Amino acid sequence: MAVYKETIQLQSHGTTPTFINITPQVKEAIANSNIKNGIVTVISPHTTCSTFFEEFVHDTIEDGTEFLQIDLDKCLQKIVPNQTEMPPAGGYLYPGEAHFQDVESWPNAADYLPGGDRTALLNCDAHIKSTILGSSVTLEVDEGKLGVGSTGYVYFVDFDRTRPRPRKCKVIVIGE
């Protein structure tokens, strides 16, 4: 049995959840692996990000976000509203004082707290949404191809709206 790993570099835009169609990169990793039959797992190492499998949707808004992704975000906001106020306002406890103090002690604290602005850490909702969707998706590799239907696509989402930032996900192909 062979194992092949690749990392996909991504960029989130902040302000709203960033949905990225990573299907072409996953298919390329499968081709690069030379594995004909097995599984491919796509993993996000970030705690505010998820990977998921969904239908490709042709309709988008101006920024390229697909209608189904907007609908998914609206559904998630009904059960996990966006965090817009400092805890405990809005029902969220995170981030708490101990977390703020720890982040403020980091050598790169300004990256997380520009100008000392603690509201830049208000992303409890992003953590919970990511937990609900999960950090990975596993799909079939069939005859050296992604074993899904023609409308099945793999997406990466960063639910953190606090700022743009570089992101990545890992693609692991296992099989023969």
Side-chain angles (χ1 to χ4, degrees):
M1 180 154 334
V3 176
Y4 176 83
K5 296 181 182 184
E6 231 178 78
T7 299
I8 300 172
Q9 301 296 330
L10 304 163
Q11 179 66 43
S12 71
H13 56 67
T15 313
T16 63
T18 303
F19 290 89
I20 303 170
N21 172 9
I22 58 171
T23 309
Q25 295 96 320
V26 172
K27 288 180 176 180
E28 182 179 347
I30 293 169
N32 292 343
S33 76
N34 292 316
I35 293 173
K36 297 300 176 200
N37 294 292
I39 59 172
V40 59
T41 300
V42 184
I43 304 167
S44 166
H46 307 288
T47 59
T48 61
C49 301
S50 293
T51 61
F52 63 99
F53 177 66
E54 187 54 83
E55 181 172 78
F56 176 77
V57 177
H58 299 90
D59 299 297
T60 65
I61 62 172
E62 294 145 5
D63 72 358
T65 305
E66 297 175 19
F67 283 7
L68 192 54
Q69 296 161 358
I70 294 166
D71 292 339
L72 171 63
D73 187 47
K74 285 181 182 177
C75 288
L76 287 172
Q77 283 189 54
K78 288 179 183 179
I79 56 174
V80 185
N82 290 341
Q83 184 179 26
T84 58
E85 301 175 85
M86 292 294 285
Y92 292 107
L93 298 176
Y94 174 86
E97 186 59 30
H99 185 69
F100 284 124
Q101 289 176 4
D102 188 63
V103 172
E104 289 166 343
S105 74
W106 297 352
N108 62 341
D111 294 343
Y112 296 89
L113 299 164
D117 180 11
R118 285 183 161 192
T119 64
L121 293 181
L122 297 184
N123 64 358
C124 183
D125 61 301
H127 289 282
I128 294 170
K129 290 171 186 174
S130 176
T131 299
I132 290 170
L133 282 189
S135 63
S136 67
V137 61
T138 300
L139 300 163
E140 180 186 19
V141 174
D142 184 31
E143 299 300 323
K145 307 278 185 207
L146 182 60
V148 300
S150 60
T151 60
Y153 278 57
V154 182
Y155 292 92
F156 173 92
V157 59
D158 185 353
F159 288 108
D160 195 333
R161 301 167 289 104
T162 59
R163 65 191 178 283
R165 65 180 102 178
R167 294 302 202 183
K168 63 185 172 187
C169 64
K170 307 282 185 156
V171 180
I172 303 170
V173 187
I174 303 171
E176 302 176 314

